[in-house]
Amino acid sequence: LLSPSCVERAQHPQSSSLHCVVLVCQIPHPMTTFAEELRRVHEEVRISIGDEAFGALKRWVSEMVRDRVGADAMREGDMFPFDVVLPDASGAMCSLDQLLAEGPIVLVFYRGSWCPFCNLHLVGFEMLDAEFRRAGAQLVAVSPQTIDTSLETVQLGNLGYSVLSDLGNVLSRQLGLVFKAPENIKDVYRSIGIDFEAHNGDCSWEIPISATYVIHSSHRVVFSHVDVDYTNRVDPSEVLEVVKQQQELQKLDPGTP
């Protein structure tokens, strides 16, 4: 649950709201659901960047859906790879094998701190972080951003969980989550102030599909939400329920994957 009265933007004199990262206060509001906040951000972005840019992005998403981009991405029932080590926002190396040895993880792939939908999603998970921990799971967010930009993401959302940098989209590519922006979309992003090279430290224009996974300590994926339409996000509370169900199954049968 998110408070509609606690949304601000980081102001920048020469950029749009897509570049001006949406900040969402961590104050629950009983009348506002995650879905409602998602719709609000959707409308704010449309108004702020204008109908032409917004329409171009929507058409691009429709084309990717039509072309089944992400159809081969890791899904429920697949095995998450072993020996994955990525730097966190402090630059320290984080072994996902070690995290999984402690219990399940909720792995959230986000596009970057320039994406308001991503920021809303990350803060939505932050608001439930304590409950995820009580249910025995750790939250982990991953993007292709540089370590410094990941640190900005942590500070921006006051995130208490691990935020890792998948430099060059190496892990995302392994999981089938990477696509590349075409030339016309590069022009759209440039026109609204998005500097991919600064955020990601390369000029590849590769973007990960927004995806959320619950991964059992055996490395088996027990839940997946993969959607090339970046405006669609699974409600963090739904993911929490999956984790709680897994926790109950583990109590009944410790070997349950």
Side-chain angles (χ1 to χ4, degrees), residues 4-13 15-25 40-49 113-114 116 119 156:
S5 63
C6 293
V7 178
E8 301 175 355
R9 296 194 199 107
Q11 297 301 318
H12 188 288
S15 60
S16 70
S17 71
L18 192 60
H19 183 69
C20 296
V21 181
V22 173
L23 305 178
V24 185
C25 294
R40 178 193 56 75
V41 170
H42 190 276
E43 183 62 12
E44 281 197 351
V45 170
R46 185 191 67 80
I47 293 171
S48 298
I49 70 175
S113 59
W114 51 268
N119 294 319
L156 183 71

Side-chain angles (χ1 to χ4, degrees), residues 21-255:
V21 181
V22 173
L23 305 178
V24 185
C25 294
Q26 299 178 48
I27 302 175
H29 191 286
M31 300 303 292
T32 307
T33 66
F34 180 77
E36 289 169 337
E37 284 295 289
L38 205 55
R39 286 193 292 271
R40 178 193 56 75
V41 170
H42 190 276
E43 183 62 12
E44 281 197 351
V45 170
R46 185 191 67 80
I47 293 171
S48 298
I49 70 175
D51 288 337
E52 183 176 353
F54 188 80
L57 293 173
K58 292 296 287 184
R59 287 191 296 275
W60 177 42
V61 168
S62 296
E63 290 167 2
M64 289 191 291
V65 171
R66 179 199 63 200
D67 296 339
R68 302 184 73 246
V69 172
D72 296 328
M74 184 177 75
R75 305 277 177 170
E76 182 176 338
D78 292 338
M79 294 295 290
F80 182 73
F82 289 82
D83 302 321
V84 174
V85 181
L86 298 173
D88 66 16
S90 71
M93 301 308 292
C94 177
S95 166
L96 271 68
D97 285 13
Q98 291 182 6
L99 293 182
L100 285 166
E102 300 170 8
I105 64 173
V106 176
L107 191 59
V108 182
F109 285 86
Y110 70 104
R111 306 194 306 159
S113 59
W114 51 268
C115 172
F117 300 95
C118 294
N119 294 319
L120 179 68
H121 208 205
L122 294 179
V123 175
F125 276 106
E126 172 60 31
M127 294 176 68
L128 296 175
D129 186 27
E131 292 190 54
F132 276 105
R133 292 179 188 275
R134 282 195 291 271
Q138 296 186 68
L139 295 173
V140 179
V142 177
S143 84
Q145 296 185 130
T146 65
I147 294 170
D148 287 345
T149 311
S150 291
L151 179 59
E152 292 175 5
T153 301
V154 170
Q155 295 170 338
L156 183 71
N158 194 25
L159 305 179
Y161 53 85
S162 296
V163 176
L164 309 182
S165 291
D166 179 24
L167 302 174
N169 279 300
V170 175
L171 175 59
S172 295
R173 185 176 296 103
Q174 187 176 357
L175 303 184
L177 295 175
V178 175
F179 60 92
K180 190 169 184 175
E183 290 301 322
N184 66 311
I185 296 301
K186 292 180 186 179
D187 291 339
V188 171
Y189 278 128
R190 290 188 185 107
S191 73
I192 58 178
I194 305 299
D195 187 345
F196 274 81
E197 293 184 27
H199 279 275
N200 297 348
D202 64 37
C203 56
S204 68
W205 285 86
E206 291 182 334
I207 307 172
I209 296 172
S210 303
T212 301
Y213 298 101
V214 177
I215 305 174
H216 184 265
S217 56
S218 65
H219 284 239
R220 184 167 297 281
V221 178
V222 297
F223 170 85
S224 63
H225 181 275
V226 181
D227 199 326
V228 72
D229 185 346
Y230 57 86
T231 67
N232 294 332
R233 304 298 173 108
V234 64
D235 189 325
S237 64
E238 294 180 21
V239 182
L240 178 60
E241 288 307 309
V242 172
V243 170
K244 288 180 176 179
Q245 291 169 12
Q246 286 294 312
Q247 185 184 44
E248 290 303 313
L249 288 173
Q250 283 288 105
K251 290 178 181 178
L252 296 173
D253 181 3

